[in-house]
Amino acid sequence: MKVLSDSFSEDMVEIYDRFFLGEDKCQTEVDYIMQIFGQRIPDKHVLLDVGCGTGAYSEFFSPSFDIVISVDRSADMISFAREEHNKDNIEYLCKDAGCEEQYGSQKGDAAIALAHVIGYQLTNVAVMSFLKTINRNLYDNGVFLFSFYHQPALFLNKLEPRHIKKKVDSTEIIRISNAKLLPDENCLALDYYYVLSHDDRTRAFEIHEKMRYFSKYEVELFLTQTGFEVLSFFEYGGKNELTTDHWNGGCLARKVESYI
Ligand SMILES: C[S@@+](CC[C@H](N)C(=O)[O-])C[C@H]1O[C@@H](n2cnc3c(N)ncnc32)[C@H](O)[C@@H]1O
């Protein structure tokens, strides 16, 4: 079976939006995040979408901001975003979010890193560079909202294989996924197997990835070492405080000092 290097290139780019997202999901999530930001951001201004992927969220956020600066290190994702989610007030940049430089033409009042982007930073050095660079790209008091795999929930609940079958236009997509803990590396090993069937044509591919998980204490330590303070932890997608039942962690942080 063909092996893809990651979930953000080749065949995956073409199915990503339709398999994972969709208009309702994006709009609901944008409303949810805008509510969490509340009065903390000035009216409109600049949003940084860090690890923007296909740009679907950037487009849904674009009416709520004057400018959206969207950064992703996958050239395939950025070229898809420029084609499919292009708006006059979105600036798409192909960059590593941990490059320790200014991303675009201006700093942000708010930043988001959705769908566990922080989990792709596997080493402590990579996590630090990622957060320092976001700090550098925010104005003072700028807020940063992100989701992450929450360690205690992964340890306390059995990780079951998952099977998803979805019809996307006229293509049937089957995904089987398996997750295994790598406790020595603070990571999950994720194996994905995809089968796409369209008329009498079938393609199959597999992806093997690692993603880092974090406890609240670890997130707090990284944030305070990179110029942020934690404003809240919450169950991402819900209204509850983050507990050991929730594997999908959310965090809202504020820039309190500068990293240059
Ligand atoms: C799971 S996707 C999420 C995309 C988008 N945030 C969403 O919610 O649809 C993760 C994205 O993060 C990007 N990414 C991960 N680490 C990155 C880094 N250090 N710099 C830039 N992009 C990164 C990947 O290329 C990928 O497109």
Side-chain angles (χ1 to χ4, degrees), residues 8 16 21 49-53 57 71-74 77 95-98 114-115 117 120-121 130:
F8 316 115
Y16 193 94
L21 306 180
D49 186 357
V50 181
C52 64
Y57 284 99
V71 181
D72 204 286
R73 66 182 172 193
S74 156
M77 281 298 203
K95 280 195 180 191
D96 191 315
L114 305 182
V117 176
Y120 294 93
Q121 324 313 311
F130 180 77

Side-chain angles (χ1 to χ4, degrees), residues 207-220:
I207 302 164
H208 306 281
E209 285 180 337
K210 274 190 204 173
M211 283 190 75
R212 183 160 177 166
Y213 52 71
F214 300 86
S215 68
K216 283 192 272 194
Y217 281 120
E218 203 186 356
V219 169
E220 187 170 25

Side-chain angles (χ1 to χ4, degrees), residues 80-229:
F80 182 92
R82 286 186 180 133
E83 282 284 312
E84 300 293 326
H85 297 290
N86 185 25
K87 289 278 164 206
D88 286 348
N89 64 339
I90 308 179
E91 200 177 313
Y92 285 113
L93 303 164
C94 187
K95 280 195 180 191
D96 191 315
C99 61
E100 305 206 5
E101 290 165 8
Q102 183 151 334
Y103 294 143
S105 56
Q106 28 191 322
K107 291 187 176 189
D109 302 280
I112 50 170
L114 305 182
H116 307 155
V117 176
I118 195 170
Y120 294 93
Q121 324 313 311
L122 299 180
T123 64
N124 289 349
V125 170
V127 176
M128 293 290 285
S129 301
F130 180 77
L131 294 174
K132 274 187 198 171
T133 312
I134 293 169
N135 177 292
R136 182 188 177 140
N137 278 275
L138 282 170
Y139 289 113
D140 291 346
N141 289 314
V143 284
F144 175 38
L145 186 151
F146 61 99
S147 61
F148 61 97
Y149 279 120
H150 186 217
Q151 175 178 16
L154 299 177
F155 274 65
L156 294 172
N157 296 292
K158 197 163 182 285
L159 301 174
E160 303 280 3
R162 295 180 70 190
H163 183 279
I164 302 175
K165 190 172 174 179
K166 210 165 176 177
K167 191 111 177 165
V168 168
D169 300 331
S170 52
T171 303
E172 184 181 82
I173 304 175
I174 295 175
R175 182 180 88 162
I176 297 165
S177 54
N178 222 334
K180 199 175 79 186
L181 291 170
L182 301 175
D184 210 25
E185 300 174 52
N186 281 22
C187 280
L188 281 173
L190 297 161
D191 298 316
Y192 299 109
Y193 301 90
Y194 286 87
V195 180
L196 277 60
S197 314
H198 176 74
D199 296 332
D200 53 358
R201 252 189 78 220
T202 297
R203 319 183 247 158
F205 53 88
E206 58 191 271
I207 302 164
H208 306 281
E209 285 180 337
K210 274 190 204 173
M211 283 190 75
R212 183 160 177 166
Y213 52 71
F214 300 86
S215 68
K216 283 192 272 194
Y217 281 120
E218 203 186 356
V219 169
E220 187 170 25
L221 182 63
F222 277 121
L223 286 169
T224 52
Q225 294 301 304
T226 52
F228 290 97
E229 71 168 0

